[in-house]
Amino acid sequence: MENILDKAYSAEDFRRQGHALIDILADYLADATTDREEVKAMPWQDPDKQLAYWQQDFQKPLQQPLDLFRDVMAKSIQVHRKRYIGHQTTPTLPVTILASAVTATLNQGMGVYEMGPVGNTLEKVMTEHLAQKLGYSSEASGFVTSGGSLGNLTALLAARAAATDIWNAGYAQGQRLAVLVSEEAHYCIDRAARIMGLGADGIIKVPVNEQFQLRTDLLEEYYQQAVAEGKQVICVVGCAGTTSTGSYDDLEAIAAFSESHQLWFHVDGAHGAPAAFSPKYRHLLKGIEKADSVVVDYHKMMMTPSLSTALIFKRGGDAYKTFSQRAQYLWTEQESEEWYNGGKRSFECTKAMSVLSVYTMFRTYGEDVFRENIERLYGMATSFAGLIKERPGFELAYEPACNIVCFRYKAEGDVSKLNQEIRRLLLEEGRFYIVQTILNGELYLRVSLMNPLTTENELQELLEQIVEKAALVRAVEA
Ligand SMILES: Cc1ncc(COP(=O)(O)O)c(C=O)c1O
């Protein structure tokens, strides 16, 4: 019988296929900037049809990986297209695609130093550099974890560990914890609090102002009410870039409030904290350096493949208190602060050496690549907001603070339904990819300008397409 494994591990097959794959990927990247009609950002396929296709594919005779990859690429959303302006997933910088190949090849375990000597070290170097950029002292440190959701959960667990001994003792009878957070915070904060056993009552959602920023003038009232109801507030969460609107909370005011009540202050900067790389936009983060913990997704505004998230602690030592457990086969003492044994501080045991991608960008292009990306994308959003305001029939939901813009096409009748239909038609056509969100109970179109190669031409074209689609919707309704 043929030995499959020997063939599958063949370095020569890998070399041949790898060279060919690079050509396929380079063609994909080159195509990304083309204006050819047939190039779609979203090759939309009904989910059930997609499922049927792959169920059949799975039953077919064996095939070459390159044919499979071509097929997957053709059917996937194309985040490098200039008309991909939907969610906050980044068009990865090409050099990080190469770094990812190295990461996959080396497959470092990362939980302990021996299984990730370089990776664990780079995490320290990168997160401490980011901490400095955010304005922290040299006491700050962090690590890289798998996504903003896990980063936020880990930070809330650290906040709980700072305020209680629930990690060891469990909840006492009647003990009720709570966190204060903007009603516009990402759903993962709510989910994290529920995972921690806070329940729906433990997530106190503070209303926002007309710019969708947490109303800091209400913090005291909401806090006092929670206390009166017998809850122990353990943390206040500020948003440095909310998901729906990209709004930055007044971090300075939240810091002052948190300090006055000795509460843990966490900032979800998954989307917007990289503004720290731009002298022009850094002011949005004023006060962030007072936060006890901050989450920053490298895989959003820092052009890194998913998932790669920095979790930074103002006092680096706090990170060791979150998961105090013994793991005899990995290390003997949990309490000792060994930065090089990553698993002591992170939820994951095995995790990818994703930090190599961001490190590679710094070493190849320097810090300016991040400044330029922020400034280009945030600037593009301001220009797009200008185009929206100029064009009759359109309404801008608020002045964008970063690269997320919400707007809608206004007409007689049910405006939410009209915009929903416009977005559906755009999705099915696939040339553009944009998304939608609900603001003040109404549906708005939403774009995240993630691609620095997008130009004003595409944005003008989008508005024209929307007018066209609106006419189609109304013609059908008439
Ligand atoms: C502000 C914010 N926080 C957290 C998250 C969740 O991060 P992740 O998707 O990396 O888990 C998102 C995702 O969009 C986000 O926008």
Side-chain angles (χ1 to χ4, degrees):
M1 200 173 144
E2 194 190 355
N3 184 335
I4 301 170
L5 276 173
D6 286 345
K7 169 103 179 109
Y9 271 109
S10 154
E12 285 317 309
D13 279 5
F14 173 76
R15 189 189 309 279
R16 194 174 34 78
Q17 289 165 347
H19 282 298
L21 178 62
I22 290 293
D23 282 338
I24 294 172
L25 296 178
D27 286 346
Y28 159 85
L29 291 172
D31 228 13
T33 51
T34 180
D35 269 330
R36 282 193 291 116
E37 268 305 304
E38 69 275 20
V39 172
K40 292 183 169 185
M42 168 49 119
W44 172 252
Q45 173 79 275
D46 173 86
D48 290 331
K49 285 194 186 138
Q50 186 88 251
L51 177 62
Y53 178 87
W54 290 106
Q55 281 172 334
Q56 275 177 18
D57 180 78
F58 192 59
Q59 302 303 328
K60 285 185 183 163
L62 298 182
Q63 69 174 159
Q64 287 303 306
L66 296 183
D67 293 334
L68 169 63
F69 297 154
R70 275 199 198 90
D71 205 8
V72 170
M73 287 169 73
K75 291 179 168 55
S76 297
I77 184 155
Q78 315 271 300
V79 297
H80 288 82
R81 303 288 188 218
K82 289 196 286 183
R83 293 174 183 79
Y84 163 81
I85 44 179
H87 286 294
Q88 297 142 278
T89 304
T90 184
T92 42
L93 204 67
V95 76
T96 67
I97 303 171
L98 302 178
S100 300
V102 178
T103 296
T105 308
L106 294 178
N107 199 28
Q108 306 290 280
M110 298 292 287
V112 285
Y113 179 73
E114 292 151 30
M115 286 303 293
V118 178
N120 277 296
T121 310
L122 295 188
E123 286 194 7
K124 183 170 167 64
V125 173
M126 283 290 83
T127 54
E128 290 183 4
H129 175 266
L130 187 53
Q132 296 289 305
K133 286 300 302 175
L134 294 173
Y136 283 111
S137 76
S138 58
E139 204 194 340
S141 191
F143 56 89
V144 174
T145 190
S146 305
S149 303
L150 192 55
N152 281 320
L153 170 62
T154 308
L156 292 190
L157 284 167
R160 190 179 70 176
T164 75
D165 188 36
I166 288 169
W167 180 257
N168 292 310
Y171 283 90
Q173 184 96 34
Q175 187 173 15
R176 293 162 73 204
L177 303 187
V179 294
L180 285 166
V181 59
S182 150
E183 62 180 356
E184 283 293 320
H186 188 263
Y187 73 83
C188 70
I189 302 285
D190 183 300
R191 189 174 280 187
R194 289 173 198 255
I195 290 170
M196 288 164 58
L198 271 60
D201 280 354
I203 305 126
I204 301 172
K205 293 194 176 157
V206 182
V208 292
N209 62 22
E210 66 289 350
Q211 284 294 312
F212 302 94
Q213 300 166 298
L214 181 144
R215 280 192 52 193
T216 51
D217 58 315
L218 294 178
L219 276 173
E220 187 64 37
E221 181 188 328
Y222 276 66
Y223 173 77
Q224 291 303 344
Q225 194 180 332
V227 172
E229 288 167 2
K231 295 175 194 161
Q232 180 188 356
V233 178
I234 54 164
C235 179
V236 189
V237 181
C239 298
T242 57
T243 307
S244 271
T245 60
S247 306
Y248 285 78
D249 289 339
D250 181 346
L251 303 179
E252 193 88 82
I254 301 177
F257 172 81
S258 306
E259 202 182 331
S260 70
H261 292 285
Q262 298 194 327
L263 301 172
W264 187 281
F265 173 30
H266 172 64
V267 174
D268 179 3
H271 183 85
F277 287 97
S278 162
K280 189 168 173 195
Y281 294 103
R282 193 176 292 152
H283 67 93
L284 294 166
L285 301 170
K286 201 156 176 280
I288 199 166
E289 72 288 351
K290 295 181 181 147
D292 297 289
S293 53
V294 177
V295 151
V296 187
D297 276 356
Y298 288 133
H299 63 259
K300 288 192 167 70
M301 294 303 291
M302 291 179 74
M303 298 170 283
T304 309
S306 308
L307 291 164
S308 195
T309 295
L311 174 54
I312 293 169
F313 290 87
K314 183 182 186 176
R315 298 161 298 276
D318 280 350
Y320 296 89
K321 297 172 193 148
T322 320
F323 304 111
S324 51
Q325 272 173 311
R326 283 205 191 88
Q328 306 287 24
Y329 70 104
L330 292 177
W331 55 78
T332 44
E333 265 187 89
Q334 167 65 31
E335 298 303 326
S336 64
E337 297 189 1
E338 297 155 347
W339 62 263
Y340 41 85
N341 285 325
K344 283 192 163 186
R345 292 175 291 161
S346 68
F347 182 83
E348 305 101 316
C349 177
T350 306
K351 79 176 176 204
M353 185 176 57
S354 69
V355 69
L356 182 62
S357 283
V358 73
Y359 189 79
T360 304
M361 281 187 277
F362 273 104
R363 294 291 293 119
T364 310
Y365 303 109
E367 207 166 292
D368 272 352
V369 75
F370 301 110
R371 179 191 53 71
E372 219 181 283
N373 193 47
I374 290 282
E375 291 182 358
R376 218 190 264 194
L377 295 175
Y378 282 30
M380 202 187 291
T382 309
S383 309
F384 185 44
L387 296 181
I388 293 167
K389 284 192 282 190
E390 271 167 21
R391 219 173 244 261
F394 283 88
E395 181 195 42
L396 183 69
Y398 58 92
E399 287 299 332
C402 65
N403 56 331
I404 297 174
V405 186
C406 298
F407 63 105
R408 61 183 178 168
Y409 186 74
K410 285 202 86 169
E412 292 292 302
D414 187 339
V415 180
S416 287
K417 186 150 177 282
L418 171 64
N419 282 274
Q420 188 169 21
E421 283 302 295
I422 291 171
R423 148 101 179 143
R424 186 181 61 77
L425 291 176
L426 286 170
L427 181 72
E428 286 176 4
E429 190 176 81
R431 188 162 165 77
F432 279 94
Y433 181 64
I434 68 166
V435 296
Q436 63 191 39
T437 192
I438 303 290
L439 301 176
N440 299 325
E442 304 220 15
L443 187 138
Y444 283 79
L445 302 172
R446 172 177 175 271
V447 304
S448 305
L449 297 162
M450 298 301 289
N451 192 336
L453 303 183
T454 302
T455 68
E456 197 170 305
N457 290 344
E458 286 78 48
L459 301 177
Q460 289 277 21
E461 186 192 331
L462 173 65
L463 297 181
E464 279 152 25
Q465 285 285 319
I466 290 172
V467 175
E468 218 174 88
K469 301 288 180 277
L472 276 177
V473 175
R474 289 205 305 237
V476 172
E477 279 171 359

